[in-house]
Structures are given as C-alpha cells and as structure tokens.
Amino acid sequence: MLIPRCKISGDTSGKTYTPIQLEKIKLSNPSDPIFDKLACPICGIKLDFKMGSPRKRAHLSTWPNQKHLSNCNLFFIAESRTSERKNSVTSGSIFLNEDQRKQKIDYLLKKIHDQENPNPSPTKGTKRIPPKKKNPSKSSTPIPSGTNNPNDGGTTSTSKRTARTENRLPGGIDNSLVGKTILLFGDLTKVNLKIVDNHPVMSVVISYNSKNEIVRAAPSFFSSQQIGLYERFQQLEQIINIQHKNPSVTLFVDVQPNSRKGTLEPVVYTEGDLRFPRVSLGVYIGKNHVEL
C-alpha cells in the first residue's frame, strides 16, 4: 500500500514529506538523521523509506510485523486490502511501454463503445448462426491473461504476461485500488493550474454520467525537463475553461489515500499518462490552438 506522506518524530511544526522529497534529501545527504525518525502523520507508527528504482518509485512502508493503529484511516485501507488480496502479489505502480499503453487504451475505448452502443437484438424470425467450432487438432496461440507482477510485463508468452491495469470510470474508485495503477476514462471538464511557492500545481476534473473524479498531478509532474510542458497545460486550461470544450480522455493514474482529507485520490505522474483519448496532449493542442 502506498503511503503518501510521513512526518518526523519529535517535530512539532507539522511538516510532512513525500517520498519524492525524501529521495532528494537521501541523494544529497544519505546519512541524514531524519531517516531514523520517519513516522505516519496520522497514527505515528514508525515508517521505513525505500529509494526508487527503474521498476518502482520511491516509497514509504511500515516496519516488518507492524501495522497502522486502529485510529488511522490507512489501517482500514490496509486491512481491507489484506483480506481481499491475501496470497496475491500487489504491484503498485506499473510501467508500460507505448505499445502496451495503446493496447490497453484501445481495449477500454472498445468496451466503452460497446456499452454505449449495444448490439440490437435480432429481429423475430432471423435465424441465428452458431459460431464455428474450433478444430482441436490445430495449434493456436493462447491469449495471455493479466498479472499484477510488473516484471511480467511486455511479453506475449503464457509464462510472462502483460502487467494488468484496472479500468475505471469516475465514481468507481474504491479502497481495493489503493496502491495500484488504473486506466481512467471520462470527459475533461476542468483544469486547475496555479503557482504555489514558485512551483506549478495542477488538478483536473474528469466526468462521466454526472459523476466526477478529481485527478491531481504529482509534485514531480512539472519537475521534468520537457520544454514547454507548463505552457502546454496553460493552453489546455484555456481550451477547457474558456472555450468550454470537454474532450474524452484516458489517464493512467495511481490511486493513493489522502491522509489529510481521509479520501482516495487518483494521481497522474507524467504528460504521457494523459491522452485525448488516444492522441497526445501536443497533438490535441495543435488542433485546438488558442492565443494566450
């Protein structure tokens, strides 16, 4: 389970740290004593910090054989996931290549299309043709099922299968998804972009069938060196909020608990996680350019 923030035991200022902030501190001063004082900001239980790797982001975790206290909202989430997913492998954030992303987006969009445009029932008197039976003597390539293990991603064999993502619509996120990557679909109805302490902060509202989901950009979202990243989202803000266009979008997001609000929130990490619904932000803006 992903723990979004921690506090420092004995620090009465109320300041908290994200795993990304801790990673920066660790890189600049590996022996900083704060790493011996990390604690849950809600119940105060001792936490451990792990540096990021090519396969997994930096994260916080409880110490072995320790749990969040019963007055902590993270306790209920952890207990729920333990009972529902006992003996299963939880991957947390997964990493997909471009082809895998396209496949998952295409699958979700087809599923949405089929739900919105169900096949009409055959008219009376129409003869239903049964499907042809497969010849068992002919060999066929089995279709792999999903897996929670990110190390199994990017292959087509039955022994190593594509990493699984859950598909969700606004209003469909629950405790079982905490710490997982999901693919979210809906209409982009609002972009909130502002500067806080000289750093860009953003959230977007995704809507579908009168239900809304607020997706927050991770603190590291605008930390990348991509040229014009902030300006592209300024353009998007104008298109959505001024021109009142509400394009359909897909987003790969991580579901995290918000300890301060006691709620769950989807978090987007990179520009490439947002599509319209298949094309990139740059392509979408190019077709809907506005003057700032």
Side-chain angles (χ1 to χ4, degrees):
M1 182 185 68
L2 295 179
I3 302 174
R5 289 179 172 272
C6 71
K7 67 178 183 180
I8 307 302
S9 294
D11 183 358
T12 58
S13 67
K15 184 176 181 179
T16 59
Y17 297 82
T18 65
I20 293 173
Q21 292 172 319
L22 292 174
E23 190 169 43
K24 291 179 179 178
I25 296 173
K26 192 76 170 180
L27 289 172
S28 62
N29 183 10
S31 58
D32 194 306
I34 70 168
F35 292 101
D36 296 324
K37 303 176 182 179
L38 304 181
C40 174
I42 302 175
C43 66
I45 193 171
K46 193 171 183 180
L47 298 178
D48 188 30
F49 171 72
K50 298 293 184 184
M51 288 288 284
S53 69
R55 285 252 173 217
K56 197 168 187 179
R57 298 188 180 108
H59 62 281
L60 292 157
S61 63
T62 56
W63 281 60
N65 301 321
Q66 292 193 12
K67 295 182 179 181
H68 293 276
L69 302 183
S70 58
N71 65 336
C72 180
N73 66 322
L74 294 177
F75 168 83
F76 297 105
I77 294 173
E79 287 298 301
S80 173
R81 296 206 62 195
T82 298
S83 60
E84 291 177 6
R85 302 183 180 276
K86 192 174 182 180
N87 300 322
S88 68
V89 178
T90 302
S91 65
S93 301
I94 64 173
F95 296 84
L96 304 171
N97 61 37
E98 186 61 21
D99 287 340
Q100 290 171 334
R101 285 171 179 261
K102 288 180 179 178
Q103 290 173 5
K104 293 181 181 299
I105 290 173
D106 286 345
Y107 174 81
L108 173 58
L109 295 180
K110 183 181 184 304
K111 192 173 182 180
I112 296 295
H113 178 271
D114 292 345
Q115 289 177 350
E116 295 179 344
N117 303 276
N119 291 327
S121 301
T123 57
K124 191 174 182 180
T126 302
K127 188 176 181 180
R128 188 184 296 271
I129 302 175
K132 293 182 178 180
K133 294 183 178 180
K134 292 184 178 180
N135 188 344
S137 62
K138 292 184 178 181
S139 61
S140 60
T141 303
I143 299 175
S145 59
T147 174
N148 276 332
N149 190 343
N151 296 322
D152 292 345
T155 67
T156 55
S157 69
T158 54
S159 59
K160 293 201 172 184
R161 298 163 177 163
T162 304
R164 183 176 63 195
T165 54
E166 302 276 357
N167 298 326
R168 286 294 186 272
L169 297 172
I173 296 177
D174 55 36
N175 288 347
S176 69
L177 298 173
V178 172
K180 296 186 67 175
T181 299
I182 67 171
L183 180 56
L184 183 67
F185 172 84
D187 296 329
L188 179 57
T189 56
K190 190 171 182 60
V191 177
N192 300 305
L193 184 64
K194 57 185 178 180
I195 301 295
V196 178
D197 296 330
N198 297 318
H199 186 78
V201 175
M202 184 185 71
S203 64
V204 298
V205 179
I206 309 300
S207 305
Y208 189 84
N209 284 348
S210 301
K211 293 185 178 181
N212 299 322
E213 204 75 64
I214 298 176
V215 178
R216 180 178 61 83
S220 61
F221 190 92
F222 289 101
S223 298
S224 73
Q225 300 301 314
Q226 295 183 55
I227 298 174
L229 178 61
Y230 181 71
E231 289 72 18
R232 286 194 290 278
F233 278 94
Q234 281 184 309
Q235 285 277 344
L236 181 62
E237 184 180 38
Q238 293 287 317
I239 293 169
I240 304 303
N241 298 351
I242 304 301
Q243 295 189 0
H244 303 294
K245 293 186 177 181
N246 302 130
S248 295
V249 296
T250 53
L251 299 97
F252 286 96
V253 297
D254 285 3
V255 179
Q256 300 180 5
N258 186 317
S259 301
R260 293 178 177 177
K261 297 180 180 179
T263 59
L264 303 178
E265 62 180 12
V267 179
V268 59
Y269 278 86
T270 69
E271 178 185 5
D273 292 334
L274 171 64
R275 307 293 172 97
F276 293 80
R278 291 184 175 91
V279 303
S280 67
L281 172 61
V283 172
Y284 177 76
I285 289 177
K287 295 178 179 179
N288 301 272
H289 180 75
V290 294
E291 295 294 333
L292 295 177

